[in-house]
Amino acid sequence: MKTMTCSQLGGACDKAFSANTFEEIAEQSKQHGMEMFKSQDAAHLDAMQKMQSLMKDPAAMGAWYESRKAEFESLPED
Ligand SMILES: [Zn+2]
């Protein structure tokens, strides 16, 4: 298992997620983001807005995703 925080994954807090693959950890971060969206957490809404503008540019989004994934791969196992 490897651990990354919400903020490392484009979020806004230090909540830690653990998973064996980047896809899993990205999914956990997404679920957490949706909960924060429901509770209208200002810091997360702001982070989400930045992600959404990134998503309008598929090349930039792809580069962001790959760099997060590379960071995950380079982490030591827990
Ligand atoms: Zn968070």
Side-chain angles (χ1 to χ4, degrees), residues 5-7 11-15 17 29 32-33 36 41 44:
T5 64
C6 176
S7 56
C13 70
D14 290 331
K15 185 176 167 64
F17 306 104
S29 153
H32 165 69
M36 292 296 107
D41 179 84
H44 287 82

Side-chain angles (χ1 to χ4, degrees), residues 25-49:
I25 211 163
E27 182 61 28
Q28 289 175 28
S29 153
K30 200 170 98 183
Q31 295 293 334
H32 165 69
M34 287 196 295
E35 278 168 31
M36 292 296 107
F37 181 78
K38 272 188 217 154
S39 58
Q40 294 287 295
D41 179 84
H44 287 82
L45 291 178
D46 193 51
M48 258 176 243
Q49 230 162 27

